[in-house]
Amino acid sequence: MEQHSTRPAQYGPRRDRPARPPRPPRPPLPPQAGRTPGGGVARSARPARPVPRGPAPPPRPAPSPTARRLPNPRLTGLGGGLFCGCVMLALGFLVALLFGMSQTVYGVLFLPVCVLTALWVREGDLLIAPVVVPISFALGLVPVADEGDGGTAGRLMGMVTGLATQAGWLYGGTLIACAIVLGRRVRVIRTANRRAAAARSRART
């Protein structure tokens, strides 16, 4: 019987071929978009939306030193009436004491009181100023009115005569108060409309 010769298995690299140098390790692959290194799905970070802002209000001009020193009270309707009535009554006694019941001087002093009353009444009671001004004029006319024959009836007739002769000062002071009140009212309405328009523009943006 023929026996086949078997060659022993050779382990290790063959001598006729040179051994290959070991390959360098591969760099790790970059993580895919949308996946975390652990294999999960990463949520894309959304950029924060800018918060809409309205236009910045214009800076208010600083009040002048003269305006800071001037009084700027705000009287209610009752306070304005009391102020005007008390001042005119005091001026009536002062005029009767110094100028001998000169109704012309009293009428001249009535005008600045009308201006102050219309300027110092607060915005919610602007319509009170033209009402209290003529009432205060009649109240302050009591010390200046001519007594006539004397007594209450004579004082009352003197007031009626004084109101008739000094009607020009009365109407002039009342018209001045009405003009100031009207100007302040228009300014209040414009300011309210400007604020409402600014609020609507902010809501749209």
Side-chain angles (χ1 to χ4, degrees):
M1 296 181 62
E2 296 180 358
Q3 296 182 355
H4 297 279
S5 61
T6 61
R7 299 177 62 181
Q10 297 180 358
Y11 298 94
R14 299 179 63 177
R15 295 180 178 179
D16 54 352
R17 294 183 180 179
R20 295 181 179 180
R23 296 182 179 180
R26 295 182 179 180
L29 297 177
Q32 297 180 0
R35 293 185 178 274
T36 59
V41 179
R43 297 181 179 179
S44 59
R46 297 181 180 179
R49 297 181 179 179
V51 179
R53 296 182 180 179
R60 296 181 179 179
S64 59
T66 305
R68 294 177 182 176
R69 291 193 297 266
L70 293 178
N72 190 22
R74 283 292 175 260
L75 303 175
T76 61
L78 180 59
L82 291 176
F83 166 77
C84 189
C86 293
V87 171
M88 291 309 302
L89 187 60
L91 289 178
F93 281 107
L94 186 63
V95 169
L97 181 62
L98 298 179
F99 299 98
M101 297 183 180
S102 175
Q103 297 182 359
T104 303
V105 177
Y106 175 79
V108 173
L109 296 177
F110 173 67
L111 299 182
V113 177
C114 295
V115 174
L116 294 178
T117 303
L119 289 177
W120 287 353
V121 174
R122 65 181 184 180
E123 296 177 353
D125 298 327
L126 287 177
L127 299 180
I128 302 297
V131 177
V132 301
V133 162
I135 298 176
S136 301
F137 183 86
L139 179 63
L141 196 61
V142 174
V144 188
D146 189 7
E147 296 182 2
D149 297 337
T152 306
R155 178 75 66 177
L156 184 60
M157 289 302 298
M159 287 184 59
V160 173
T161 304
L163 289 175
T165 56
Q166 304 299 323
W169 299 110
L170 175 61
Y171 293 150
T174 306
L175 289 177
I176 290 175
C178 291
I180 296 175
V181 167
L182 182 60
R184 291 185 59 188
R185 184 62 180 174
V186 171
R187 186 180 64 179
V188 170
I189 294 176
R190 288 182 178 178
T191 303
N193 293 338
R194 193 181 301 111
R195 291 178 179 175
R200 286 194 298 267
S201 63
R202 292 177 183 177
R204 290 177 183 177
T205 55

